[in-house]
Amino acid sequence: MTVIVSSERGRSWLAEVVHYREFLFNLVKRDLKVRYRNSILGFIWSLLNPLLMMVVFSVVFSVLSAGAPVQNYPIFILVALLPWNYTAASVTGAVNAIVGNAHLIKRVYFPREILPASLVISNLVNLLLALPVLFLLKLALGSPFSEYVLLLPLVLALQTVFLLGVAFFLSSINVYFRDTEVIVDVFILAWFFLSPVVYNMEQLAPDFAQVLYWVNPMASLLSSYRLILYNNAPPDPLFMLRTTLTCVVTFLVGYLIFRRLAPNFGEEV
């Protein structure tokens, strides 16, 4: 890996990230290599893993459940499961993004934000590799696409902005409070069941759906994916505006906390 050691102050954060884009690219490539190192099937697991999980959830919640059947349940599950896996992998991986790279922090200068950002980007690449499987399955099961699929890049961008904010926050506080990793492991399980991955929010909790959308940004994001790719319908503009504001605010809060704590990373890791 090529490590850039020059330190040139005075740039904006975005300009710094652009300047160190080669370093960022190498970190993303390293993360993807490490993920499938010593694996026989390699990156093919990024395709098989969500499919296997889809089969398990379909059996448990469709075949064995006594509730009303959901049409094209494998598609119903997969359109939310893929972005959820993106979230879960980014959140759990980003917690140790700073602590796990202490040797780099102490040796060279670079924008520290690159470390959690590279985790999120590598998981975004993993999601993009898995999306063709979803598209092929939709066509195979006779589930058509609508013009609203063009909104998919927007939802992907909003989720990435949201996850960057969460990754900045968790990676920085874990430097000072190492219990964060244990708490996140428990939190991610609870977050999964509180998010509409295997169920429809409006059907499960119609009286509290709006409240849950407010307190759980992933509920809004997953519902947007499901509207676009499963229901073939556009998200309500006000719903999208609220989701956008939530993602941007999360990013800003996470980034500001990261910038506040970053100067002492070298002494604490």
Side-chain angles (χ1 to χ4, degrees):
M1 176 187 301
T2 302
V3 176
I4 303 172
V5 296
S6 65
S7 172
E8 298 179 40
R9 309 285 183 171
R11 299 190 185 93
S12 68
W13 170 73
L14 184 59
E16 284 251 291
V17 171
V18 172
H19 182 73
Y20 286 88
R21 61 188 179 280
E22 183 182 352
F23 185 40
L24 175 62
F25 174 77
N26 285 328
L27 286 176
V28 171
K29 190 165 66 173
R30 183 197 66 176
D31 291 338
L32 291 172
K33 283 184 177 178
V34 168
R35 178 171 308 176
Y36 301 113
R37 186 170 56 193
N38 300 326
S39 170
I40 294 175
L41 296 180
F43 82 94
I44 296 177
W45 277 116
S46 66
L47 314 179
L48 289 181
N49 181 272
L51 286 177
L52 293 174
M53 292 180 68
M54 179 200 69
V55 171
V56 172
F57 284 126
S58 295
V59 170
V60 172
F61 290 96
S62 181
V63 178
L64 300 181
S65 173
V70 177
Q71 187 178 11
N72 272 339
Y73 196 74
I75 302 299
F76 178 86
I77 287 285
L78 203 56
V79 296
L81 185 60
L82 291 179
W84 169 258
N85 287 347
Y86 174 29
T87 293
S90 298
V91 170
T92 54
V95 172
N96 279 312
I98 302 299
V99 175
N101 288 287
H103 59 292
L104 290 177
I105 296 281
K106 293 180 177 178
R107 287 173 53 195
V108 296
Y109 170 79
F110 59 91
R112 301 329 190 197
E113 295 90 338
I114 282 181
L115 293 173
S118 68
L119 260 299
V120 174
I121 294 173
S122 66
N123 285 301
L124 174 61
V125 172
N126 213 44
L127 171 61
L128 295 177
L129 289 173
L131 281 178
V133 176
L134 168 64
F135 296 157
L136 291 175
L137 191 64
K138 268 178 68 69
L139 294 174
L141 294 179
S143 177
F145 288 96
S146 72
E147 66 273 23
Y148 301 115
V149 73
L150 297 176
L151 294 174
L152 182 60
L154 173 62
V155 182
L156 279 169
L158 289 177
Q159 186 180 6
T160 301
V161 169
F162 170 70
L163 290 178
L164 283 172
V166 175
F168 286 146
F169 172 71
L170 291 177
S171 62
S172 59
I173 64 170
N174 189 52
V175 173
Y176 300 89
F177 307 102
R178 303 298 170 87
D179 295 340
T180 305
E181 183 178 2
V182 180
I183 295 172
V184 166
D185 285 342
V186 177
F187 175 77
I188 204 73
L189 179 62
W191 200 7
F192 172 80
F193 287 107
L194 291 173
S195 301
V197 179
V198 296
Y199 57 83
N200 188 313
M201 184 73 82
E202 281 73 14
Q203 292 179 346
L204 186 70
D207 296 334
F208 302 100
Q210 291 303 318
V211 175
L212 293 173
Y213 283 135
W214 273 107
V215 300
N216 181 6
M218 274 309 296
S220 299
L221 288 165
L222 294 179
S223 293
S224 298
Y225 280 107
R226 187 161 281 149
L227 278 169
I228 292 170
L229 295 174
Y230 177 76
N231 299 102
N232 293 323
D236 180 80
L238 288 178
F239 184 86
M240 284 301 293
L241 177 61
R242 188 186 63 202
T243 303
T244 301
L245 288 175
T246 303
C247 294
V248 171
V249 169
T250 301
F251 175 84
L252 292 176
V253 171
Y255 176 67
L256 290 175
I257 292 174
F258 187 96
R259 293 294 296 177
R260 180 69 179 273
L261 300 178
N264 296 322
F265 282 170
E267 300 172 2
E268 298 292 337
V269 294

